[in-house]
Each structure stands twice: as C-alpha cells, then as structure tokens.
Amino acid sequence: MDLLSNKWIVNLLVCCLFIGVGCNSVEKKIYVHLNYTVPCVRLLNATHQIGCQSHLSGNVGVLHVLESEENVDWVLRSGPNPPYLVILESPLFTRSIMMKLKNGSSRVAGVAVVAPSANPLEGVSPHTTCPNENTGVYTENYDPSLAHCNVTVWNPLGSGLSYEQFDFPIFSLKDDNDTQVIRQCYMDHNRAVNGSTPQYPLCAMQLYSHMSAVTDTATCMRRNDINFSISPEMVCDPLGDYNVWASTRPINNTAKGHKMWESVVIAAARLDSRSFFFEVAPGAESGVSGFVTLLAAAHALRNATQEAPPNRTILYTFFQGETFDYIGSSRMVYDMQNNNFAVDLDNVHSVLEIGQVCIVRKLIESLQTAAKGLNVSVNEPGFSQPLPPSSFQRFLRARPIPGVVIEDHQSAFTNRFYESMYDNAEYLNISYPPNLTPEEQLVFVTDTAKALTEVATVVARALYIQAGGAESQLEGINADPQIVTRMLYGFLIRSNNSWFQQRIPPDFMSHLTDRPTNFYVGVAQQRSELTHLVQYLLANLTGSTANISQDNCQNQREDEKDKESKHMYSYVWVQGAAPPNSTKREGFCVRSTVRLSKALSPAFDLRDYTSKNYSTWTESRWKSIKGRIFLVASHDLEVNFPFTPQRQHMECRFNLHLWNRKIPNCVCVYI
Ligand SMILES: *[C@@H]1O[C@H](CO)[C@@H](O)[C@H](O)[C@H]1NC(C)=O
Ligand SMILES: *[C@@H]1O[C@H](CO)[C@@H](O)[C@H](O)[C@H]1NC(C)=O
Ligand SMILES: *[C@@H]1O[C@H](CO)[C@@H](O)[C@H](O)[C@H]1NC(C)=O
Ligand SMILES: *[C@@H]1O[C@H](CO)[C@@H](O)[C@H](O)[C@H]1NC(C)=O
Ligand SMILES: *[C@@H]1O[C@H](CO)[C@@H](O)[C@H](O)[C@H]1NC(C)=O
Ligand SMILES: *[C@@H]1O[C@H](CO)[C@@H](O)[C@H](O)[C@H]1NC(C)=O
Ligand SMILES: *[C@@H]1O[C@H](CO)[C@@H](O)[C@H](O)[C@H]1NC(C)=O
Ligand SMILES: *[C@@H]1O[C@H](CO)[C@@H](O)[C@H](O)[C@H]1NC(C)=O
Ligand SMILES: *[C@@H]1O[C@H](CO)[C@@H](O)[C@H](O)[C@H]1NC(C)=O
Ligand SMILES: *[C@@H]1O[C@H](CO)[C@@H](O)[C@H](O)[C@H]1NC(C)=O
Ligand SMILES: *[C@@H]1O[C@H](CO)[C@@H](O)[C@H](O)[C@H]1NC(C)=O
Ligand SMILES: *[C@@H]1O[C@H](CO)[C@@H](O)[C@H](O)[C@H]1NC(C)=O
C-alpha cells in the first residue's frame, strides 16, 4: 500500500464527517470555505528539527489579536488568561516577534497569521541568508574562504524563520470572511477596553497539528525501521520526487553508465521552492522563471537540433528538491558516478544552468553581448568569484566541470521574496486587463513573458553553440512568446487551462487546478503534479507526434513486435483537443526522449542519516490538521479541553485539505 495514503485517508474521513454530521445537523448555518488555510509542519535533518507542532489533543488558547510589537507584553506577561492563541497580521509576522513568542511559549498556545491579499512593499524572506550553505561546493576543505557566504550573502533579507523550531502550532489564514469572524469574536469577547480585564466567556481557538517525528532524521528513521515489522506506522518520510530530463539525441536509457561516443552539454534548472507554510510555495522567480525559460529554450532548439544536429547532445535536466540541500542534482551526480544513469560524468562536457532570471533587463544585455561573441564563457569556474547557490555546485563537488549559471543578479539576489509566499505572479508583474476570461488571459502576452522569451532565445542559441552547432543556424533559433505566456499562466495562475489540457494524458485531468501550482517538493514516494506537468510539456515541446495506436503507445512500443524502441524513447498518450465540429477530444501519441530519474537523496540509500555530504531532510507524518474557534465559559473548561464544550455558543471547525488539494473544500460552520 502506498504509505502516504494513510494520512490522506484520515484527513478525508475527518473531512467528510464534519460535512456530513457536524454541519448539516445544525439549524442556522453559515458556510465558509477555508480554501487557503495551511499549517507549518515539522521537517527534520541530520541534526535538527524545524517547523511547528501542537500537543496530541491540540493546543487551546484564548484569542489575542496582536496590535503592535509592544502588545506582545500582554501575551507574555500582563494578560490574565494565558495561554493565548495569537492572531498576527502579516506585517507583524517578523523574526523579532516570533522569537519573543517562542521564548515565552508557556503562555503561547499557538499563532495564526493572516495572509494579506496583496504583497507587501518591503522585501520579506523567511529563508536563510545563505541557502544550502553546508552542501554546496565551498566547504571547510574546499575554498573555505568562500564557504558560508563569507564573500557574498546571497539572501540578505533572509530572517531564517523557516528554519526555526516552534513548540506550538502556527497556521496561515487567508484574509476572508473566516478571519473576519475570528476578529469579531475577539472584539466582542476578549478585547480589554479602557484597561478593564476581559470577562468570561472568552473566545478561544484550538489548533491541531501534532507531528509524529521528533529530534532528527536518524531518530525518526530508526523508529520507522524498528517498528515496521510490529506495526507499519511510519513517523517520517524522506523529502524527494523525480527529476525530469530529455536529450536532443536519443540515448539508450536501459544501458547505464559510460557511453563511448557521447558528449553532453547539461542544460539545467530547478523545479521546487518552499515557504514557511506547508505547500505554500509559489516559487515564481526562484523556480518558475528558470524552468519555464529552459522549457522554452528546449522548444526553440527542436528544429535546429534535428535538422542540423550539433555534435554534442544537449541534456535538459529539471531538478527536484534542490531547495533542501540539492536533493535532485546530488542524486543525479551520484547515479552518474555509480553507472546508474544513462551517461556518466565522463560524458559531461559542460553545464549551463538557468537560475532566477526574472528581473531581466541587464541580464539580456550581457547575455546578448556574450552570444554575439559566440563564446559564452565556459571557462573553468573562477575560484575568486563565488557561485550562487545552484545545482551546478553539485557537479563541481564531484569534479571540475566547466559551466555557467545564468541569474538576474550579480551578487545578492534581486528577488526580494526568496522562498516566501509572496514570490508569486503578482511579484512578476503578471497581470491582465480587467474583464478578460480565463481563456483570454491564457493567451495574453505580458511584458514578463516577452522578457523571458528573449532570455530563452539567448539561452537556446548559447546552448547550440556550446554543443558545437554551426553559427549559420542561429537565426532560426527563436523562443516563442505564445508558449512562454501559456506556461507562465499555467504554472502561476491556473494549471486547469485548455493549453495544458491538450498536452496531458486523459487520467491526469483531475490533477489540474484553478490555482497556481504548488512547488513544495513533498515526500519521495509520490511524484508531484509539477513533475508530471513538466514531463508532459517537455515531451510535447521537444518530441514528435507518432502515428501509433493508444494501446501500443501506452505499452511503450511502435507496434506489436517492437521491443527495442522503449530503450531509446518514451511514449505518452495525450488527450489532445476536440475538433471544431465535435466535443470529443482526439488523443494522440507523443514520442520523446523525456525520462524521470529518482530525486531521492543518496543518504537514504546509503542509510547514512547523519550524512554531511547529502541531504538528510525528512517530513514528519501527522494524523490530522485542523482548527476551530468557540467560547469558553471559564478557565476550568480549558484544563480538560472540551471537544464538546458544555456552553458552546459558537463553534467553527475547519479542516485543511492538503496533499495537493485533492480533497474537496471543507465547510466551516458557525452555530
Ligand atoms: C473557496 O472555494 C469555493 C469553491 O471552490 C469558492 O466558491 C469560494 O469562493 C472560495 N472562497 C474563497 C475565499 O476564495
Ligand atoms: C526569554 O525569557 C526570559 C524570561 O522568561 C527572559 O529573561 C529573557 O530575556 C528572554 N530572552 C529573550 C531573547 O527574549
Ligand atoms: C572570509 O574572507 C576573507 C577575505 O575575503 C578572509 O580574509 C577570511 O579569512 C574569510 N573567513 C573565513 C572564515 O574563511
Ligand atoms: C539542519 O538544519 C539546521 C537548521 O537549519 C541547521 O542549523 C543544521 O546545520 C542542519 N544540519 C546539517 C547537518 O546540515
Ligand atoms: C463574505 O461575506 C460577504 C458579506 O457578508 C458575503 O457577501 C460574501 O459572499 C462572503 N464570502 C464568502 C466567500 O463567503
Ligand atoms: C472608554 O473610555 C472612553 C473615554 O475615556 C469612553 O468614551 C468610552 O465610552 C469607554 N468605553 C467603554 C466601553 O467603556
Ligand atoms: C517501537 O517498538 C519498540 C520495541 O520494539 C517499542 O518499545 C516502542 O514503543 C515502539 N514504538 C512505537 C511508536 O510503536
Ligand atoms: C539498449 O541497451 C540494452 C541494455 O544494454 C540493450 O539490451 C538494447 O538492445 C539496447 N537498445 C538499443 C536500441 O541500443
Ligand atoms: C520548425 O520547422 C517547421 C517546419 O520545418 C516549422 O513549421 C516550424 O515553425 C519550426 N519551428 C520553430 C520553433 O522554428
Ligand atoms: C564537430 O563537428 C565538426 C564538423 O561539423 C568537426 O569539425 C568537429 O571536430 C566535431 N567536434 C567533435 C568534438 O567531434
Ligand atoms: C503538442 O500539443 C499540441 C496540442 O495538443 C499538438 O497540436 C502538438 O502536435 C503537440 N506536439 C507534439 C510534438 O506532440
Ligand atoms: C469534422 O470535420 C472534419 C473536417 O472538417 C471531418 O473530416 C470530420 O469527419 C468531421 N467530424 C464529424 C464528427 O463531423
């Protein structure tokens, strides 16, 4: 059984129960959909646990809406009814306030942060100032003067909050009617007016987010192992997913290891991102700008690489889990070193990586200069100039391979919202004239799309030259702004759109949503929607349509007798579009070189859970994540927390639909 489905089912059951019994049996109902309410969960590495959790039976506290930083004193010292459940408007969700609350955690039951509907003006990043500082190329043994961002602090705005550990639950609430009800409940019952002490009944909130794993990855993996035979109850899972790759020439993917005549130029980008809260990872500049550019460049190169193939093969790679100590790239390098990938490190000629590329004006100028001179600097890495955090660092850790990393910043990131919930479409200025339908927005070419198209063209030309292609072909290599436009829309606004629909298998339809794609990597047993989407789009953009029956296509063969093609190609049956005179889609088969490869840290294969070399990140399991507000009549009621308070005037239960939001929205009831 899929180990993950456990928590899935539990949540689903709870959810249905609340809709079916809790909600429908009451007289006066106010239904509120809590669509974007999410917790912070616990993650663990070799030495630490980070994130949040509640007690097994949830944390209860009297609501307190924090009005200013000075007001923290009420929570930590003067307020008469601790513990408090603190409601924070997002400008107050700062390191300073959170560390004070953390220090006073005996009086703090939990925190609920109201997410704003528009991005803040000031930059905010809950990430560290020096991303992946322990697992890049610079270490105590190798160029220590560049280690730990000694020369360049890449993310100066980083507060490090995402890497702190809290003993109480922290949830994010979308600013909508629900939060209005919560504020009203506070105003009516809890607010100290003119210095008076608020009297019972008081408005209280309970948050559940109990986490099974504690201490660190070694501890939780040991618990997974020991008890597996007795009770197969896992407590944590390695983070991970699958990398997506494709090559401009078919490579026998069954024959692993060195290929005598193959010389490959790796063109890389990363897929994943994160933020403080679980599965809130819009990653617009940090991830999407780079991988959409690479997808568009791969498409721009399709004709030239087929009609005038350069002598080196271009290998497009999209890495998963890079945010958590380079999971995907470290795994690919490890597989290459162990003859477990289609080519090995000796085959790698050079690496070209696309990082954050959205703030592009200067970047284009310098790239164009480089492309005109046709010698995109592929020198030995200059050791006096530190490389930004990048997958390329994992190749350099293995051996000195030449390469370039393309970014929109020279020293510190230009991204003001790195690994935060604000690194979204709004931040990239992707906006539309009013009154456009979704399908009109899908095809509306924004300035951002135009700029990224230019980057993609320059990248594609540079790759072609890099692979040994002829200069005479360059004019014909052009990225398509229409395609960049649709991809940005699909990943940042709504994956459920006609352009994506035509490029996916029929059974993937239910995974498209009316929201931005989530770029949190998740746990390694599952392939995320993102991985699949990139796989299908890359196949469509680099492959060819094959006149093959659905049955043969799904069995990875050209015809009944064919046993060889599957080594060289992969086949996907996609649903296509419906012709104008019909409503029935006309599916077809796409033949491509697109493959998935494991993005699970080698530390878990090696069972080296304290590895200093490889990512050791795991995610704790949990049974349920939910919350509610109600009135408590006296202090006594809180001691033995009432699941059914005796004098319950108002109750709101909210369940979170997680796991890529497959579960229908739950409803919230006020009695
Ligand atoms: C939540 O989702 C429901 C159904 O998908 C929708 O009708 C409602 O408007 C959404 N609410 C908010 C606040 O976005
Ligand atoms: C933590 O709280 C203690 C009292 O509980 C206080 O003395 C100390 O200064 C606090 N530390 C910080 C960093 O706020
Ligand atoms: C940091 O870099 C400076 C020079 O750039 C060097 O003098 C110093 O020793 C470095 N610090 C460490 C800890 O390596
Ligand atoms: C684990 O994570 C913590 C918090 O970010 C960090 O301080 C520590 O160095 C990490 N441990 C390893 C071995 O990387
Ligand atoms: C929020 O409240 C307003 C006014 O009470 C109402 O018109 C609106 O439909 C509510 N929205 C949702 C999503 O419930
Ligand atoms: C609080 O005090 C102000 C002025 O002192 C007064 O106008 C107001 O009515 C008082 N509010 C309550 C609820 O007593
Ligand atoms: C795991 O098994 C050990 C003994 O094998 C037992 O003492 C422990 O309570 C078990 N833990 C869990 C969580 O089941
Ligand atoms: C690919 O490699 C496998 C394993 O070495 C081999 O059996 C197969 O014949 C090869 N196919 C082609 C087309 O080279
Ligand atoms: C590729 O070539 C075909 C025909 O040779 C042409 O129709 C198509 O526009 C070209 N595509 C690109 C991206 O250049
Ligand atoms: C690539 O092809 C060109 C001719 O198109 C040839 O001159 C060159 O030697 C080849 N390079 C390699 C590495 O095979
Ligand atoms: C990509 O998808 C579109 C829409 O279904 C289709 O027209 C096109 O032929 C596909 N390309 C390939 C190579 O399959
Ligand atoms: C739809 O139109 C195409 C050409 O315009 C025709 O070949 C096809 O038979 C028509 N299909 C139906 C179901 O009418």
Side-chain angles (χ1 to χ4, degrees), residues 437-453:
T437 64
E439 286 296 309
E440 287 165 347
Q441 292 180 352
L442 172 68
V443 299
F444 182 86
V445 181
T446 58
D447 288 345
T448 307
K450 285 182 199 151
L452 281 188
T453 306

Side-chain angles (χ1 to χ4, degrees), residues 313-363:
T313 302
I314 301 171
L315 191 81
Y316 306 109
T317 60
F318 296 83
F319 291 121
Q320 269 284 17
E322 294 300 276
T323 308
F324 293 96
D325 290 324
Y326 303 118
I327 296 172
S329 57
S330 67
R331 178 57 186 242
M332 188 175 282
V333 170
Y334 174 82
D335 284 346
M336 285 180 169
Q337 288 174 314
N338 289 286
N339 290 340
N340 215 356
F341 192 74
V343 294
D344 79 7
L345 279 181
D346 288 333
N347 293 114
V348 178
H349 168 265
S350 56
V351 176
L352 185 151
E353 176 170 349
I354 310 175
Q356 310 186 75
V357 289
C358 234
I359 316 291
V360 282
R361 184 144 316 182
K362 252 186 112 181
L363 177 73

